[in-house]
Amino acid sequence: MVARILAAHMVCFAEFDDASQWKILHPYNKESSVKSEIVPFGILQFDETKTAEMIHILDNYGQYAPQDKDGKPLPFVLYCDGLSCERADGAQRARINGGDHWARLEMIEPAIQEWHRRLMFVQDTFDELFKFESHREKGTLYNIKQYFDHKGVSSNIMECFNKATELLHFATKGFTVVAAMELLGVQSVDATPDALPSTASDRRDFLMSLAADIVNMIYEKPNTMEILEDEPAQGDFQYCSCKMDIGGVMVYCSYTKCRKGQWFHIDCLGISLEDVPEGDWFCSEDCKSLKNSGKKKCKSAISDRFRDLKKEYAHRLLWRGLNDLARADAVSENDGTRMIRHWKFDLMEFYEKHHPKYFVYAHRLLTNVGGAVSERL
């Protein structure tokens, strides 16, 4: 994706500005190149907020399901938004005791449409980076919107999805080119870097290496610390690895967010009190390292004053923008493998941004793809 952008906007890489060169092939390229036939089902006058009427909707769609030789329905995917998926699940639960596969609505597998997932991703991006207070700060998304007259863009992405993504992609491509110019040490898109190789094959390798450098520069490692430090689910006895109230002497792990039990029976540990040191004691090396990393917070807070916040903002915007470009490209190419890869990546996103419904459906989709449903589906 980065190489495509540079080839389209930098003169020194213009020879590679051919979309066919960057097409990512997948097993169903041939089938995907044929335009689908759109068959309208008409408008159903039912209220999906009511379970009984949602059942009628699924029954209506279910009549189009193909059958095997025994008359059993071959399930198909019903794409919808997160709320409609939830309502479809409710309708299927209401019919769980139906007499056959059709009555149990087993011919339908609700799934969140890719567009709705992208909508969520772009909305989260704008919630974080599109602020009116930053309209005077050069290079911010709001400033770019005003300077280049991107009309109709607001913070409510549902109302302006196409215009919002146009702005995001416009800014992303600009930031990508600026990053390349900085790494190459050139001042304009027309300049030729001194390090540019003389042969076409070497220039292409040079371009790919430059693209990789840009991605590595802005790559954001998923934040797993929040999940690691989450409180464990409440139960009858939360302590020790045995989770049993067996009495006896216990020792305390000095990492206050220990997920393994906090208090431990010395019998379960196979140690005696003499083995427990004075001062801090840790049940594992993980807890010890997490405790020690916490001691550095005061120092890091002081160093925050010296952070390059504008650079961090640019990297963040570039990372989010390239991610959305990659998602849009996967959908336009009908590349299921890449779409599934994005769903895996977004599990952390849904967790961090507090989208539990999408988090659950992402798990469900990945489980289905992993073998819970037929390969055909």
Side-chain angles (χ1 to χ4, degrees), residues 47-59 61-62 76-96 102-112 357 361 364:
D47 182 358
E48 69 172 52
T49 63
K50 300 175 181 178
T51 301
E53 297 195 30
M54 189 65 185
I55 290 174
H56 285 305
I57 293 173
L58 298 188
D59 268 331
Y61 286 143
F76 63 89
V77 179
L78 179 66
Y79 288 107
C80 40
D81 60 26
L83 186 57
S84 296
C85 278
E86 194 171 44
R87 290 166 177 165
D89 283 341
Q92 289 177 320
R93 286 195 296 271
R95 281 282 195 90
I96 198 168
W102 299 91
R104 292 191 293 272
L105 304 175
E106 293 178 359
M107 59 283 196
I108 289 173
E109 178 62 37
I112 293 176
K357 191 178 301 180
Y361 278 104
R364 175 170 165 172

Coordinates of all heavy atoms in Angstrom, one line a residue, residues 47-59 61-62 76-96 102-112 357 361 364:
D47 N -40.8 -5.2 11.9 CA -40.0 -4.4 12.8 C -39.0 -5.4 13.5 O -39.4 -6.2 14.3 CB -40.9 -3.8 13.9 CG -40.2 -3.0 14.9 OD1 -38.9 -2.9 14.8 OD2 -40.8 -2.4 15.8
E48 N -37.7 -5.2 13.1 CA -36.7 -6.2 13.6 C -36.4 -6.0 15.1 O -35.8 -6.9 15.7 CB -35.4 -6.1 12.9 CG -34.7 -4.8 13.1 CD -33.3 -4.8 12.4 OE1 -33.2 -5.2 11.2 OE2 -32.3 -4.5 13.1
T49 N -36.9 -4.9 15.7 CA -36.7 -4.8 17.2 C -37.6 -5.8 18.0 O -37.4 -5.9 19.2 CB -37.1 -3.3 17.6 OG1 -38.4 -3.1 17.4 CG2 -36.2 -2.3 16.9
K50 N -38.6 -6.3 17.3 CA -39.5 -7.3 18.0 C -39.1 -8.7 17.5 O -39.0 -9.0 16.3 CB -40.9 -7.0 17.6 CG -41.4 -5.6 18.0 CD -42.8 -5.4 17.5 CE -43.3 -4.0 18.0 NZ -44.6 -3.6 17.4
T51 N -38.9 -9.6 18.5 CA -38.3 -10.9 18.2 C -39.2 -11.7 17.2 O -38.8 -12.3 16.3 CB -38.2 -11.7 19.5 OG1 -37.2 -11.0 20.3 CG2 -37.6 -13.1 19.2
A52 N -40.6 -11.6 17.4 CA -41.5 -12.4 16.6 C -41.4 -11.9 15.1 O -41.4 -12.7 14.2 CB -42.9 -12.2 17.1
E53 N -41.2 -10.6 14.9 CA -41.1 -10.1 13.6 C -39.8 -10.3 13.0 O -39.6 -10.5 11.8 CB -41.5 -8.6 13.6 CG -42.9 -8.3 14.0 CD -43.4 -6.9 13.7 OE1 -43.0 -6.4 12.7 OE2 -44.3 -6.4 14.4
M54 N -38.7 -10.4 13.8 CA -37.4 -10.7 13.3 C -37.4 -12.2 12.8 O -36.7 -12.5 11.9 CB -36.4 -10.5 14.4 CG -34.9 -10.7 13.9 SD -34.5 -9.4 12.7 CE -32.9 -9.9 12.2
I55 N -38.2 -13.0 13.5 CA -38.3 -14.4 13.1 C -38.9 -14.5 11.7 O -38.5 -15.2 10.8 CB -39.1 -15.2 14.1 CG1 -38.3 -15.4 15.4 CG2 -39.5 -16.6 13.5 CD1 -39.1 -16.1 16.5
H56 N -39.9 -13.6 11.5 CA -40.6 -13.6 10.1 C -39.6 -13.1 9.1 O -39.6 -13.7 7.9 CB -41.8 -12.6 10.2 CG -43.0 -13.2 10.8 ND1 -43.6 -14.4 10.5 CD2 -43.7 -12.7 11.9 CE1 -44.6 -14.6 11.3 NE2 -44.7 -13.6 12.1
I57 N -38.7 -12.2 9.4 CA -37.7 -11.7 8.5 C -36.7 -12.9 8.1 O -36.5 -13.1 6.9 CB -36.9 -10.5 9.1 CG1 -37.8 -9.3 9.3 CG2 -35.7 -10.2 8.2 CD1 -37.2 -8.2 10.0
L58 N -36.3 -13.6 9.1 CA -35.3 -14.7 8.8 C -36.0 -15.8 8.1 O -35.4 -16.5 7.2 CB -34.7 -15.2 10.2 CG -33.9 -14.2 11.0 CD1 -33.2 -14.9 12.1 CD2 -32.9 -13.5 10.1
D59 N -37.3 -16.1 8.4 CA -38.0 -17.1 7.7 C -38.1 -16.7 6.2 O -38.0 -17.6 5.3 CB -39.4 -17.2 8.3 CG -39.5 -18.3 9.4 OD1 -38.7 -19.3 9.3 OD2 -40.3 -18.2 10.3
Y61 N -36.1 -14.7 4.5 CA -34.8 -14.9 3.8 C -34.4 -16.4 3.7 O -33.8 -16.8 2.7 CB -33.7 -14.1 4.6 CG -33.7 -12.6 4.4 CD1 -33.4 -11.8 5.5 CD2 -34.1 -12.0 3.2 CE1 -33.5 -10.4 5.4 CE2 -34.1 -10.7 3.1 CZ -33.8 -9.9 4.2 OH -33.9 -8.5 4.1
G62 N -34.8 -17.1 4.7 CA -34.4 -18.5 4.7 C -35.0 -19.3 3.5 O -34.4 -20.4 3.1
F76 N -26.3 -19.9 4.7 CA -25.7 -18.8 4.0 C -25.5 -17.7 5.0 O -26.2 -17.7 6.0 CB -26.5 -18.3 2.8 CG -27.9 -17.8 3.1 CD1 -28.0 -16.4 3.4 CD2 -29.0 -18.6 3.1 CE1 -29.3 -15.9 3.7 CE2 -30.2 -18.1 3.5 CZ -30.4 -16.8 3.8
V77 N -24.6 -16.8 4.7 CA -24.3 -15.7 5.6 C -25.3 -14.5 5.3 O -25.5 -14.1 4.2 CB -22.8 -15.2 5.3 CG1 -22.5 -14.0 6.3 CG2 -21.9 -16.3 5.6
L78 N -25.8 -14.0 6.4 CA -26.7 -12.8 6.4 C -25.9 -11.7 7.0 O -25.6 -11.6 8.2 CB -28.0 -13.0 7.1 CG -28.9 -11.8 7.2 CD1 -29.5 -11.5 5.8 CD2 -30.1 -12.1 8.1
Y79 N -25.4 -10.8 6.1 CA -24.6 -9.7 6.6 C -25.5 -8.5 7.1 O -26.4 -8.1 6.4 CB -23.7 -9.2 5.4 CG -22.5 -10.1 5.1 CD1 -22.6 -10.9 3.9 CD2 -21.5 -10.3 6.0 CE1 -21.5 -11.7 3.6 CE2 -20.5 -11.1 5.7 CZ -20.5 -11.9 4.5 OH -19.5 -12.8 4.2
C80 N -25.1 -7.9 8.2 CA -25.8 -6.8 8.8 C -25.0 -6.1 9.8 O -23.8 -6.4 9.9 CB -27.1 -7.3 9.4 SG -27.0 -8.9 10.4
D81 N -25.5 -5.1 10.4 CA -24.7 -4.4 11.4 C -24.8 -5.2 12.7 O -25.4 -6.2 12.9 CB -25.2 -2.9 11.6 CG -26.7 -2.9 12.1 OD1 -27.2 -3.9 12.7 OD2 -27.4 -1.9 11.8
G82 N -24.0 -4.7 13.7 CA -23.9 -5.4 15.0 C -25.2 -5.6 15.7 O -25.5 -6.7 16.2
L83 N -26.1 -4.6 15.7 CA -27.3 -4.6 16.4 C -28.3 -5.6 15.7 O -29.0 -6.4 16.4 CB -28.0 -3.3 16.4 CG -29.3 -3.1 17.3 CD1 -29.1 -3.6 18.7 CD2 -29.8 -1.7 17.2
S84 N -28.3 -5.6 14.4 CA -29.1 -6.6 13.7 C -28.6 -8.0 13.9 O -29.5 -9.0 13.9 CB -29.2 -6.2 12.2 OG -29.8 -5.0 11.9
C85 N -27.3 -8.2 13.9 CA -26.8 -9.5 14.3 C -27.3 -10.0 15.6 O -27.7 -11.2 15.8 CB -25.3 -9.5 14.3 SG -24.5 -9.6 12.7
E86 N -27.3 -9.1 16.6 CA -27.8 -9.5 17.9 C -29.2 -9.9 17.9 O -29.7 -10.8 18.5 CB -27.5 -8.3 18.8 CG -27.7 -8.6 20.3 CD -27.2 -7.4 21.2 OE1 -27.6 -6.3 20.9 OE2 -26.5 -7.7 22.1
R87 N -30.0 -9.1 17.1 CA -31.5 -9.4 17.0 C -31.7 -10.8 16.3 O -32.6 -11.5 16.6 CB -32.2 -8.3 16.3 CG -32.2 -7.0 17.1 CD -32.6 -5.8 16.3 NE -32.8 -4.6 17.1 CZ -32.8 -3.4 16.7 NH1 -32.7 -3.2 15.4 NH2 -32.9 -2.4 17.5
A88 N -30.9 -11.0 15.2 CA -31.0 -12.3 14.5 C -30.7 -13.5 15.5 O -31.3 -14.5 15.5 CB -30.1 -12.3 13.3
D89 N -29.6 -13.3 16.3 CA -29.3 -14.3 17.3 C -30.5 -14.5 18.2 O -30.8 -15.7 18.6 CB -28.1 -13.8 18.1 CG -26.8 -14.0 17.3 OD1 -26.8 -14.8 16.4 OD2 -25.8 -13.4 17.7
G90 N -31.1 -13.4 18.7 CA -32.3 -13.6 19.6 C -33.4 -14.4 18.9 O -34.0 -15.2 19.6
A91 N -33.6 -14.1 17.6 CA -34.7 -14.9 16.9 C -34.3 -16.3 16.8 O -35.2 -17.2 17.0 CB -34.9 -14.3 15.5
Q92 N -33.1 -16.6 16.6 CA -32.6 -18.0 16.5 C -32.7 -18.7 17.8 O -33.1 -19.9 17.9 CB -31.2 -18.1 15.9 CG -31.1 -17.8 14.4 CD -29.7 -17.8 13.9 OE1 -28.8 -17.4 14.6 NE2 -29.6 -18.3 12.7
R93 N -32.4 -18.0 18.9 CA -32.5 -18.6 20.2 C -34.0 -18.9 20.6 O -34.3 -19.9 21.2 CB -31.9 -17.7 21.3 CG -30.4 -17.7 21.3 CD -29.9 -17.0 22.6 NE -30.3 -15.6 22.7 CZ -29.6 -14.6 22.2 NH1 -28.4 -14.9 21.5 NH2 -30.0 -13.4 22.3
A94 N -34.9 -18.0 20.1 CA -36.3 -18.2 20.4 C -36.9 -19.4 19.6 O -37.8 -20.0 20.1 CB -37.1 -17.0 19.9
R95 N -36.2 -19.8 18.6 CA -36.6 -21.0 17.8 C -35.7 -22.2 18.0 O -35.8 -23.2 17.2 CB -36.6 -20.6 16.3 CG -37.7 -19.8 15.8 CD -39.0 -20.6 15.5 NE -40.0 -19.9 14.7 CZ -40.0 -20.0 13.4 NH1 -39.1 -20.7 12.7 NH2 -41.0 -19.4 12.8
I96 N -35.0 -22.2 19.1 CA -34.0 -23.3 19.3 C -34.6 -24.6 19.4 O -34.0 -25.7 19.2 CB -33.1 -22.9 20.5 CG1 -31.8 -23.8 20.4 CG2 -33.8 -23.1 21.8 CD1 -30.7 -23.3 21.4
W102 N -35.1 -26.0 9.4 CA -35.7 -24.8 8.9 C -36.4 -24.1 10.0 O -36.3 -22.8 10.1 CB -36.8 -25.2 7.8 CG -36.1 -25.8 6.6 CD1 -36.0 -27.2 6.5 CD2 -35.5 -25.2 5.5 NE1 -35.3 -27.5 5.3 CE2 -35.1 -26.3 4.7 CE3 -35.4 -23.9 5.1 CZ2 -34.4 -26.0 3.4 CZ3 -34.8 -23.6 3.9 CH2 -34.3 -24.7 3.1
A103 N -37.1 -24.8 10.9 CA -37.8 -24.2 12.0 C -36.9 -23.5 13.0 O -37.2 -22.5 13.6 CB -38.7 -25.2 12.7
R104 N -35.7 -24.1 13.1 CA -34.7 -23.5 14.0 C -33.8 -22.4 13.3 O -32.9 -21.9 13.9 CB -33.7 -24.6 14.5 CG -34.4 -25.7 15.4 CD -33.4 -26.6 16.1 NE -32.7 -27.4 15.1 CZ -33.1 -28.7 14.7 NH1 -34.3 -29.1 15.2 NH2 -32.4 -29.4 13.9
L105 N -34.2 -22.1 12.1 CA -33.5 -21.0 11.4 C -32.0 -21.3 11.2 O -31.2 -20.3 11.2 CB -33.7 -19.6 12.1 CG -35.2 -19.2 12.3 CD1 -35.3 -18.0 13.1 CD2 -35.9 -19.0 11.0
E106 N -31.7 -22.5 11.0 CA -30.3 -22.9 10.9 C -29.7 -22.6 9.5 O -28.5 -22.8 9.3 CB -30.1 -24.4 11.2 CG -30.3 -24.7 12.7 CD -30.2 -26.2 13.0 OE1 -29.9 -26.9 12.0 OE2 -30.4 -26.6 14.2
M107 N -30.6 -22.1 8.6 CA -30.1 -21.8 7.3 C -29.4 -20.4 7.2 O -28.9 -20.1 6.2 CB -31.2 -21.8 6.3 CG -32.4 -20.9 6.6 SD -33.4 -21.5 7.9 CE -34.9 -20.5 7.7
I108 N -29.4 -19.7 8.3 CA -28.8 -18.4 8.3 C -27.7 -18.2 9.3 O -27.8 -18.7 10.5 CB -29.9 -17.3 8.6 CG1 -30.9 -17.2 7.4 CG2 -29.3 -16.0 8.9 CD1 -32.1 -16.4 7.6
E109 N -26.6 -17.6 8.9 CA -25.5 -17.3 9.8 C -25.3 -15.8 9.8 O -24.7 -15.3 8.9 CB -24.2 -18.1 9.4 CG -23.0 -17.8 10.2 CD -23.1 -18.2 11.7 OE1 -23.8 -19.3 11.9 OE2 -22.7 -17.5 12.6
P110 N -25.7 -15.1 10.9 CA -25.6 -13.7 10.9 C -24.1 -13.3 11.1 O -23.3 -13.9 11.8 CB -26.4 -13.2 12.2 CG -27.2 -14.4 12.5 CD -26.5 -15.6 12.0
A111 N -23.7 -12.3 10.4 CA -22.3 -11.8 10.4 C -22.3 -10.3 10.2 O -23.1 -9.8 9.4 CB -21.4 -12.5 9.5
I112 N -21.3 -9.6 10.8 CA -21.2 -8.2 10.7 C -20.6 -7.9 9.3 O -19.5 -8.4 8.9 CB -20.4 -7.6 11.8 CG1 -21.1 -7.7 13.1 CG2 -20.0 -6.1 11.5 CD1 -20.3 -7.2 14.3
K357 N -19.7 -5.7 21.6 CA -20.5 -6.5 20.7 C -19.7 -6.9 19.5 O -19.8 -8.1 19.0 CB -21.7 -5.6 20.2 CG -22.8 -6.3 19.4 CD -23.9 -5.3 19.1 CE -24.5 -4.7 20.3 NZ -25.6 -3.8 20.0
Y361 N -18.6 -10.7 18.2 CA -18.8 -11.2 16.8 C -17.5 -11.4 16.0 O -17.5 -12.3 15.1 CB -19.7 -10.2 16.1 CG -21.2 -10.4 16.4 CD1 -21.8 -9.6 17.3 CD2 -21.9 -11.5 15.9 CE1 -23.2 -9.8 17.6 CE2 -23.2 -11.7 16.3 CZ -23.8 -10.9 17.1 OH -25.1 -11.1 17.5
R364 N -16.6 -14.8 17.1 CA -17.5 -15.8 16.5 C -17.1 -16.0 15.0 O -17.1 -17.2 14.5 CB -19.0 -15.3 16.6 CG -20.0 -16.1 15.9 CD -21.4 -15.6 16.2 NE -22.4 -16.2 15.3 CZ -23.7 -16.0 15.6 NH1 -24.1 -15.3 16.6 NH2 -24.6 -16.5 14.7

